Amino acid sequence: MRGLAAVPSYVVMQPTTLCNLDCAYCYLPLRAVDRRMPVSVAEAVAASVNPWAAAGRFSVVWHGGEPLAAGREHLAALIAPFGPQVEHHVQTNATLIDDAWCAFFVEHGVRVSVSVDGPRERNGERVTRGGVPAYDRILRGVAALRRHGLPFSALAVVGRPGPGLATELYDYFLDLGCDVLGVNIEETEGVNLRDNSHDAKLVTAFWAELVAAWRREPRIHLREVEWSLRYAAAVLDGSADDVLPRRLDPIPTVGHDGSVIVLSPELAGFTDVRYGDFSSGNVLTTPLAEILAHADRTPWVGEFLAGVEACRSSCPYFGFCGGGHAANRYFEQGRFDGTQTAHCRNSKIHLLEGVLEHARDHQSPAA
């Protein structure tokens, strides 16, 4: 985990900045504006991505705004330049999904991940621009996916971890029918300035409870828990040093205008007097492969890498998280070379502690 890899494992693409919802915890700065990605941007990205995909598995993740707000015709035009080896994923609020969109997903081989926070009462902050709860529209979209037999993942945001919530959420997503579940504890980032500090015992207990719910009926791939268990197993068999890659995945995000932000999609659309617009280049003037080859020269990236080294030397959890996320450092601390953040504590440290707490509480008694 030293420096940036020259070739990413996936690219995030922003087909439009617009979102038809106005969720209270959203970090996106331009979600009320429809700035669409020109096809020329997708063509430029595909010129680098297609050779990467020919050499091994590679994904393009369409992430807005609300990607479906770009419309089927425009999204199809953006997908068209990519070769058949490229896997396409879309992160959507599902409110626009209908039979026609399901046919689109099948035709273009798009894998779907739905943002929904659990039962109706847990979705109070997911509302339309008129302030109307979006839950019924989300469920209609999910019903369309199920009607067409399309597998889907789910992504849930947790605002206040507390007793009983993890079990409630897991049971809900079992019934919803997703095959993969990701759980994000709300983060302070972008335009969402709400504090994300929580009592350590409550957060650890939340993750331990989630592990217990999953172990009772492990029909869903539970992203955070399975990653934690893989790391714990690697520690036990002495291979923990092999869990993280040798170099950081640059995770390039290509904005609607072709600008490339590495490491943190959440930085797209923001500017800073010290760091500018955070971009490392623009695919309309420089090939993506070339931008990534020199991305570590971007001033803020160098500062972030210094912070990664500070984490390596000071944090016992470094082998698990690899130094945290750039956007969390910036939006919580105002710079990139800090170390531990509230996000680290909520979604890395207390996550691993919760998994280990569950393991201790359920270990077999000594003979």
Side-chain angles (χ1 to χ4, degrees):
M1 289 286 287
R2 297 184 187 276
L4 300 184
V7 178
S9 59
Y10 63 99
V11 170
V12 179
M13 301 277 282
Q14 187 181 49
T16 177
T17 57
L18 179 67
C19 186
N20 59 323
L21 298 188
D22 193 21
C23 301
Y25 50 69
C26 184
Y27 63 85
L28 293 165
L30 301 173
R31 63 185 187 272
V33 182
D34 188 7
R35 296 183 180 174
R36 297 193 182 189
M37 176 179 284
V39 173
S40 57
V41 170
E43 291 171 341
V45 174
S48 291
V49 164
N50 288 339
W52 293 335
R57 185 175 181 182
F58 198 92
S59 299
V60 170
V61 180
W62 300 94
H63 194 301
E66 166 51 48
L68 305 192
R72 286 186 295 277
E73 183 177 345
H74 188 61
L75 192 54
L78 295 175
I79 290 174
F82 294 94
Q85 301 96 335
V86 176
E87 295 180 5
H88 292 277
H89 301 251
V90 63
Q91 185 67 46
T92 174
N93 61 40
T95 60
L96 300 176
I97 295 177
D98 55 14
D99 292 338
W101 270 112
C102 289
F104 177 96
F105 298 146
V106 172
E107 178 183 357
H108 297 281
V110 177
R111 304 182 184 193
V112 179
S113 178
V114 173
S115 298
V116 58
D117 299 335
R120 182 184 301 276
E121 58 272 18
R122 301 293 180 187
N123 281 267
E125 296 185 307
R126 299 184 63 75
V127 297
T128 67
R129 300 212 156 270
V132 177
Y135 185 71
D136 288 337
R137 294 176 62 186
I138 294 170
L139 282 197
R140 283 199 296 271
V142 171
L145 292 171
R146 297 184 65 170
R147 190 165 60 248
H148 288 266
L150 293 174
F152 63 96
S153 303
L155 183 63
V157 174
V158 172
R160 294 184 177 275
L165 176 59
T167 301
E168 176 189 341
L169 290 178
Y170 189 76
D171 289 345
Y172 172 83
F173 285 104
L174 277 178
D175 291 338
L176 191 70
C178 63
D179 53 7
V180 179
L181 173 61
V183 177
N184 288 349
I185 294 181
E186 183 180 336
E187 302 169 43
T188 302
E189 61 185 3
V191 297
N192 178 25
L193 303 179
R194 303 194 307 190
D195 181 52
N196 67 338
S197 300
H198 301 288
D199 179 84
K201 291 183 178 179
L202 282 178
V203 181
T204 300
F206 169 82
W207 290 116
E209 182 185 324
L210 188 60
V211 180
W214 174 73
R215 286 195 65 193
R216 283 196 300 271
E217 196 169 358
R219 289 193 286 113
I220 294 176
H221 287 291
L222 196 50
R223 186 183 64 182
E224 288 76 16
V225 169
E226 293 185 20
W227 164 246
S228 303
L229 292 174
R230 283 196 297 272
Y231 175 74
V235 170
L236 291 174
D237 68 17
S239 61
D241 289 345
D242 298 326
V243 172
L244 295 174
R246 298 298 94 188
R247 291 181 175 272
L248 283 166
D249 192 323
I251 317 174
T253 294
V254 181
H256 68 95
D257 59 354
S259 59
V260 178
I261 310 291
V262 296
L263 296 169
S264 286
E266 299 85 358
L267 293 170
F270 289 91
T271 58
D272 183 277
V273 293
R274 293 160 294 170
Y275 309 113
D277 64 1
F278 301 102
S279 72
S280 295
N282 191 296
V283 297
L284 293 177
T285 56
T286 309
L288 179 59
E290 184 177 334
I291 292 172
L292 297 184
H294 304 292
D296 57 358
R297 300 177 187 174
T298 306
W300 74 262
V301 174
E303 185 177 301
F304 171 73
L305 294 176
V308 171
E309 293 307 307
C311 286
R312 187 195 308 275
S313 64
S314 64
C315 182
Y317 296 88
F318 180 83
F320 177 57
C321 80
H325 299 295
N328 296 115
R329 290 188 190 174
Y330 174 73
F331 288 115
E332 288 192 34
Q333 301 173 347
R335 55 187 304 114
F336 292 96
D337 56 359
T339 53
Q340 190 178 116
T341 63
H343 173 70
C344 290
R345 292 187 287 275
N346 291 334
S347 298
K348 301 295 183 181
I349 295 173
H350 300 325
L351 164 61
L352 189 56
E353 290 173 342
V355 171
L356 296 177
E357 179 179 292
H358 172 82
R360 286 192 298 268
D361 291 346
H362 293 81
Q363 63 183 347
S364 300

